[in-house]
Amino acid sequence: MESKQAGFDRILGFSIPEHDARGRIVRLGPVLDEILGAHDYPPALKNLLSEALVLCALMGGLLKRESSQLTMQAQTKGGVVELLVCDFRDGELRGYLKHDQERFDQLGADTSLETLFGEGYLAITFDIAELGERYQGIVPLEGDSLTSAVEHYFERSEQVPTLFRTAVRGGPSGYVAGGMLVQHMADGEEGGERLQARADHPEWEHVSIMAGSIRDDELVDQNLQPEEIVWRLFHEESQVRVVQGAQLSRGCRCSTVHFEQVLARFPKEDRRDMQDENGIILVDCAFCSREFPIQD
């Protein structure tokens, strides 16, 4: 009940037909704490992963087909953070990062994107289960934040004017992270050929200015429902449609059965090399930081 009262762990979708725009708002609370609690991350890396999870939930909230999945992966060369992975499927959200603790301890106050990731790239993959289709976009990890890198992805790969805003607040009582996505819907997108999607389209300019006025404290304010945020930003529009999206949960899909199925794909010789002296293959799940002993 507390999660719903604070607007936690759910996606709110909205559209503004007059200006050919749509959006998503999300605020993570208990689910975020559960994901972060699986590892002992320093605060700066908790902030980074929180931001990534918000972005993943916002983009995943655009998926319309059941069992479709959105995966976001940051891979680096020479960075303190070596790997960051998040994914979203049917409201299930999970994520983790791998980092060099010794090098991180030497950073001091410098936790910029370039320092954390070095030379790296961001890959965003959409798996459309019903159609059996997969498409992926890759962009450099550039800019001031993961949020700006994701905006760059939509500009380059999707060619859809898109605005993202994210905010993270941590403290003794836990972490809260919020975000908003707003997109210009190209002419002809509904059932027809995409005719145009321009960042300088007058309808988009209007919506992006209004959406861009959102403050960080509003995104993480537990006393402010997502519906109220939409009202604050767009109450002067002639029509705003709001629809409840997915309720979010921590969605690590690891299990003994799952790992048995994965291992069954390996040749017997390879599985034998993985075994310990008792014939056990110990599988570590990076998402939930649990170990699964598999008897081959």
Side-chain angles (χ1 to χ4, degrees):
M1 182 64 69
E2 177 186 353
S3 177
K4 292 183 179 180
Q5 288 175 345
F8 280 143
D9 302 331
R10 64 184 176 95
I11 297 173
L12 180 73
F14 62 91
S15 62
I16 310 170
E18 182 181 4
H19 298 295
D20 302 318
R22 66 176 178 178
R24 300 290 185 272
I25 291 179
V26 67
R27 182 180 297 133
L28 302 178
V31 166
L32 178 61
D33 278 331
E34 192 174 358
I35 295 173
L36 295 179
H39 297 270
D40 186 20
Y41 297 122
L45 297 188
K46 285 186 178 182
N47 289 343
L48 179 68
L49 182 55
S50 297
E51 179 188 4
L53 288 164
V54 167
L55 291 167
C56 193
L58 288 171
M59 292 185 289
L62 297 173
L63 296 171
K64 298 178 181 180
R65 299 180 184 274
E66 188 176 352
S67 297
S68 294
Q69 182 168 315
L70 180 285
T71 302
M72 184 172 76
Q73 177 172 318
Q75 190 86 36
T76 71
K77 292 181 180 179
V80 172
V81 176
E82 301 168 12
L83 176 68
L84 184 153
V85 182
C86 301
D87 71 33
F88 172 100
R89 187 178 71 182
D90 297 335
E92 294 184 344
L93 189 65
R94 63 180 183 171
Y96 78 97
L97 61 81
K98 180 182 179 182
H99 71 289
D100 186 325
Q101 184 64 49
E102 184 176 346
R103 291 181 59 201
F104 178 83
D105 292 338
Q106 299 171 359
L107 290 182
D110 184 7
T111 55
S112 64
L113 198 65
E114 181 179 359
T115 301
L116 290 175
F117 286 103
E119 180 185 346
Y121 65 85
L122 182 70
I124 299 176
T125 306
F126 292 85
D127 286 291
I128 312 302
E130 184 178 322
L131 303 178
E133 296 179 353
R134 165 184 282 200
Y135 59 99
Q136 182 182 73
I138 298 177
V139 295
L141 269 171
E142 299 174 342
D144 298 329
S145 64
L146 282 176
T147 301
S148 62
V150 169
E151 278 192 340
H152 187 46
Y153 160 80
F154 274 89
E155 178 184 340
R156 277 185 61 175
S157 299
E158 297 293 314
Q159 297 182 341
V160 176
T162 306
L163 177 146
F164 283 88
R165 291 292 183 269
T166 60
V168 179
R169 184 172 65 198
S173 59
Y175 272 71
V176 177
M180 180 175 68
L181 171 160
V182 181
Q183 284 186 325
H184 175 55
M185 299 171 64
D187 295 345
E189 186 168 327
E190 293 296 329
E193 180 183 0
R194 176 175 290 184
L195 301 178
Q196 62 174 348
R198 303 186 349 246
D200 62 347
H201 194 292
E203 302 293 354
W204 173 244
E205 288 182 353
H206 173 81
V207 172
S208 62
I209 290 172
M210 294 297 101
S213 68
I214 186 73
R215 303 191 311 270
D216 287 357
D217 63 289
E218 291 177 303
L219 289 171
V220 295
D221 185 350
Q222 301 178 39
N223 297 314
L224 186 63
Q225 293 286 344
E227 290 85 352
E228 294 178 85
I229 293 178
V230 175
W231 169 253
R232 285 187 179 188
L233 294 174
F234 304 113
H235 65 274
E236 294 183 356
E237 308 304 331
S238 60
Q239 184 181 41
V240 179
R241 300 173 182 170
V242 175
V243 59
Q244 294 297 332
Q247 189 73 32
L248 302 176
S249 62
R250 175 174 173 266
C252 195
R253 296 179 284 277
C254 61
S255 68
T256 300
V257 172
H258 170 72
F259 289 128
E260 286 175 345
Q261 292 172 343
V262 171
L263 289 170
R265 302 169 191 166
F266 288 84
K268 288 185 177 180
E269 295 77 11
D270 291 349
R271 297 201 305 271
R272 190 177 300 116
D273 292 338
M274 301 177 192
Q275 296 174 359
D276 62 16
E277 63 276 10
N278 298 315
I280 300 295
I281 301 175
L282 197 60
V283 181
D284 177 31
C285 175
F287 286 100
C288 65
S289 192
R290 294 171 58 198
E291 291 184 337
F292 292 81
I294 308 298
Q295 180 73 57
D296 191 24

